[in-house]
Amino acid sequence: MAAYYSVTMASRTVRLTGWGRIAPTEAELAEPATVAGAARLLENAPAARGVIARGLGRSYNNAAQCAGGMVISTARLNRIIDLDRAAGLATCEAGVSLEQLMVAGLPSGWFVPVSPGTRQVTVGRPIAADVHGKNHHVAGSFARHLRSVDLLLPGAELRTVTEQSDPELFWATAGGMGLTGLIVRAVIQLKRVATSRVRVDTVRTADIDQTMAVLAEHDRRYGYTVAWSDSLARGGNLGRSVITSGDFAGLADLPEAEAGDPFAFRPGARLGLPPGFPPGLVNRYTVALANEAWYRKAPRSRSGEIQAIGTFFHPLDGIRNWNRVYGPGGFRQYQYVLPFGAEAAVRRSFELVSQARAPSFVTVLKRFGAGDEGLLSFPMAGWTLALDFPARTPGLAGLFGSLDRLVVEAGGRVYLAKDSRVPPDVLAEMYPRLAEFRKLRGELDPAGILASDLSRRLGL
Ligand SMILES: Cc1cc2nc3c(=O)[nH]c(=O)nc-3n(C[C@H](O)[C@H](O)[C@H](O)COP(=O)(O)OP(=O)(O)OC[C@H]3O[C@@H](n4cnc5c(N)ncnc54)[C@H](O)[C@@H]3O)c2cc1C
């Protein structure tokens, strides 16, 4: 990241991207250490340039960027203010990472209620994008576990918002991509666990129909479940997958050597890719080989394996900068949800990807439970598929266009936290409550102080 200090020492001009490393833009980056400091920044933000919050920059594209404006990082608002060990209520500043919450909560048997595929995200962000995890079918998304949120509104008024006190603002903020205000604190209900290990069952499936059937059955039996699919498989192998499902282990499930430390959790040092890692290594040939090897290596069926939290929930966190494997061109993610009943469209999406020979390195299929009230919240009851492609893949724009049409026709939507290219008119078809969101934004922020590269592109 190129950085140089500008006239005020409170901020510096930086070039920012999201995790996909595409679409860099420059902004003033400020890192307030107190809520009062954050309020001053908001109060003095010039409306013409805009301001947006940023956590750890793990959204895939430019939701936490503001070209020519100001980005307020919550990196230094990272204190856990209180942890009620009896009730499992965590009161924390918005820059606290989910990893920090795990380190603090696990010794007394508390885990985060919902974890995305990385724990290197801040508390503010799971609220702003209403994130989901492998347990969405039973636990819903992050907002369901949020007791209250302290929000700095565009004029810098600090407001405590709960679902009861102000449902409209609460549900605009959950999933609102930082566009209703700066979240500075939140109270979160953690989840009780008996150990820090997960008891995991693994099943290898032969094709997309079996994958969907096993996922549906596993949703009834397990708290967490997900399928890692081979995006390039075709013909009779289309949609073949490795499905891992599990629940937190009980004390009796642990091997003797581990039973003495049932809540052990050591995030530890993470490996990094070597600096000279060759670019462009992710292509249709290497991904086809990797998918084949990984599918063959998986057991046909295995039950009762005890896995650490990192292995089960955050396998990609083991490599610090894995996003660099895509080379300097970066990568784009496409994630959709389609309602139940649209199984033929799910199958068709696998066909489109494999026919395009587009190498998705990480391909994840899972089922969501009911969605929540968030105006721009992504999850709804149905099938969600996430795909990662090197940004320079030939024909990618055409593939995304075909997927968009499929998604709209089936009554589904794409995930804003991952989006880099959906056309604004298509987005409006996908999010029926978009007009409500825009209206509320207009009332809350008439001068349009809060803005991101994403919001400008989509007119949010
Ligand atoms: C490996 C990997 C796996 C993932 N798996 C999942 C998954 O399973 N489920 C899922 O839902 N997502 C998943 N994601 C996406 C992920 O949830 C988001 O990318 C992540 O939460 C971003 O967090 P962040 O703190 O880096 O936020 P940033 O990228 O910095 O910000 C993202 C958005 O949140 C807003 N925001 C951040 N902090 C605040 C604040 N304090 N106040 C107001 N707005 C704020 C920003 O303005 C921006 O709009 C995954 C991402 C990666 C890299």
Side-chain angles (χ1 to χ4, degrees), residues 21-240:
R21 302 175 71 223
I22 54 173
T25 51
E26 282 195 353
E28 288 289 302
L29 181 71
E31 295 188 334
T34 60
V35 173
R40 272 195 302 277
L41 285 166
L42 261 187
E43 211 168 5
N44 298 316
R49 294 158 68 217
V51 55
I52 195 69
R54 183 174 178 96
L56 287 169
R58 290 301 198 280
S59 52
Y60 278 74
N61 192 30
N62 52 14
Q65 289 167 233
C66 182
M70 176 172 279
V71 171
I72 302 181
S73 161
T74 56
R76 292 167 71 203
L77 290 171
N78 62 355
R79 285 160 289 251
I80 297 178
I81 297 159
D82 183 50
L83 180 58
D84 178 336
R85 289 183 169 76
L89 276 183
T91 306
C92 39
E93 291 184 332
V96 166
S97 73
L98 293 191
E99 181 171 291
Q100 260 179 284
L101 264 185
M102 290 173 203
V103 170
L106 278 167
S108 37
W110 296 104
F111 186 63
V112 296
V114 167
S115 177
T118 172
R119 55 180 184 270
Q120 302 303 330
V121 298
T122 58
V123 160
R125 167 58 174 74
I127 301 166
D130 198 14
V131 305
H132 56 271
K134 293 179 180 187
N135 59 347
H136 189 276
H137 58 288
V138 290
S141 44
F142 204 83
R144 195 188 286 182
H145 310 275
L146 192 59
R147 294 296 162 261
S148 72
V149 68
D150 287 358
L151 191 65
L152 274 173
L153 297 172
E157 176 199 340
L158 181 63
R159 200 181 292 178
T160 297
V161 184
T162 68
E163 191 182 352
Q164 293 72 32
S165 70
D166 191 342
E168 209 186 2
L169 186 53
F170 183 88
W171 289 116
T173 301
M177 303 306 291
L179 296 166
T180 58
L182 178 71
I183 297 159
V184 288
R185 273 187 300 253
V187 181
I188 299 153
Q189 176 64 61
L190 302 177
K191 170 193 165 88
R192 177 59 95 187
V193 292
T195 71
S196 61
R197 319 298 200 282
V198 187
R199 197 172 185 283
V200 182
D201 293 350
T202 303
V203 177
R204 205 168 76 178
T205 58
D207 60 25
I208 185 64
D209 292 330
Q210 194 190 3
T211 302
M212 287 196 277
V214 172
L215 279 174
E217 190 222 326
H218 281 204
D219 269 11
R220 289 190 286 273
R221 289 172 42 206
Y222 301 89
Y224 298 92
T225 188
V226 74
W228 288 64
S229 307
D230 180 352
S231 59
L232 291 175
R234 2 174 43 160
N237 292 330
L238 184 82
R240 67 179 179 176

Side-chain angles (χ1 to χ4, degrees), residues 5-21:
Y5 284 92
S6 74
V7 278
T8 77
M9 288 304 285
S11 69
R12 62 205 157 102
T13 306
V14 296
R15 198 161 179 260
L16 296 167
T17 71
W19 190 240
R21 302 175 71 223

Side-chain angles (χ1 to χ4, degrees), residues 413-459:
R413 53 176 84 127
V414 296
Y415 191 9
L416 281 175
K418 312 241 171 133
D419 179 61
S420 58
R421 30 67 50 204
V422 73
D425 54 323
V426 176
L427 187 84
E429 290 187 77
M430 293 174 169
Y431 282 88
R433 301 186 73 186
L434 185 58
E436 267 178 79
F437 182 78
R438 286 181 174 140
K439 181 167 173 286
L440 187 131
R441 280 253 297 146
E443 290 160 9
L444 207 64
D445 184 15
I449 288 169
L450 295 165
S452 63
D453 291 356
L454 177 88
S455 76
R456 286 182 177 133
R457 177 168 65 79
L458 293 172

Side-chain angles (χ1 to χ4, degrees), residues 118-416:
T118 172
R119 55 180 184 270
Q120 302 303 330
V121 298
T122 58
V123 160
R125 167 58 174 74
I127 301 166
D130 198 14
V131 305
H132 56 271
K134 293 179 180 187
N135 59 347
H136 189 276
H137 58 288
V138 290
S141 44
F142 204 83
R144 195 188 286 182
H145 310 275
L146 192 59
R147 294 296 162 261
S148 72
V149 68
D150 287 358
L151 191 65
L152 274 173
L153 297 172
E157 176 199 340
L158 181 63
R159 200 181 292 178
T160 297
V161 184
T162 68
E163 191 182 352
Q164 293 72 32
S165 70
D166 191 342
E168 209 186 2
L169 186 53
F170 183 88
W171 289 116
T173 301
M177 303 306 291
L179 296 166
T180 58
L182 178 71
I183 297 159
V184 288
R185 273 187 300 253
V187 181
I188 299 153
Q189 176 64 61
L190 302 177
K191 170 193 165 88
R192 177 59 95 187
V193 292
T195 71
S196 61
R197 319 298 200 282
V198 187
R199 197 172 185 283
V200 182
D201 293 350
T202 303
V203 177
R204 205 168 76 178
T205 58
D207 60 25
I208 185 64
D209 292 330
Q210 194 190 3
T211 302
M212 287 196 277
V214 172
L215 279 174
E217 190 222 326
H218 281 204
D219 269 11
R220 289 190 286 273
R221 289 172 42 206
Y222 301 89
Y224 298 92
T225 188
V226 74
W228 288 64
S229 307
D230 180 352
S231 59
L232 291 175
R234 2 174 43 160
N237 292 330
L238 184 82
R240 67 179 179 176
S241 304
V242 177
I243 297 178
T244 49
S245 309
D247 284 295
F248 272 90
L251 199 52
D253 295 318
L254 299 192
E256 215 176 294
E258 294 180 26
D261 193 2
F263 294 114
F265 175 62
R266 295 174 195 93
R270 296 180 298 139
L271 297 174
L273 287 182
F277 191 82
L281 217 61
V282 178
N283 56 49
R284 65 181 57 161
Y285 307 104
T286 53
V287 170
L289 281 174
N291 283 357
E292 181 70 30
W294 149 89
Y295 180 78
R296 295 274 159 229
K297 194 172 135 267
R300 225 173 262 284
S301 169
R302 176 175 59 204
S303 50
E305 189 191 4
I306 299 298
Q307 289 187 359
I309 282 171
T311 313
F312 184 72
F313 288 101
H314 319 115
L316 291 166
D317 279 357
I319 303 173
R320 203 172 47 241
N321 46 358
W322 67 264
N323 55 341
R324 292 180 184 267
V325 300
Y326 296 90
F331 70 108
R332 292 181 192 270
Q333 182 158 112
Y334 191 98
Q335 182 169 2
Y336 71 61
V337 56
L338 301 181
F340 290 130
E343 287 70 24
V346 175
R347 195 175 303 108
R348 180 74 192 130
S349 67
F350 274 86
E351 282 167 5
L352 286 171
V353 173
S354 93
Q355 280 162 10
R357 309 304 290 153
S360 168
F361 188 46
V362 179
T363 307
V364 176
L365 181 68
K366 96 154 254 99
R367 287 159 54 96
F368 281 154
D372 59 32
E373 293 298 306
L375 297 182
L376 293 188
S377 182
F378 167 66
M380 64 175 174
W383 300 93
T384 182
L385 178 68
L387 301 147
D388 276 355
F389 301 102
R392 292 177 179 164
T393 302
L396 203 53
L399 173 64
F400 285 160
S402 305
L403 287 170
D404 280 350
R405 277 192 296 281
L406 190 76
V407 170
V408 168
E409 275 162 25
R413 53 176 84 127
V414 296
Y415 191 9
L416 281 175

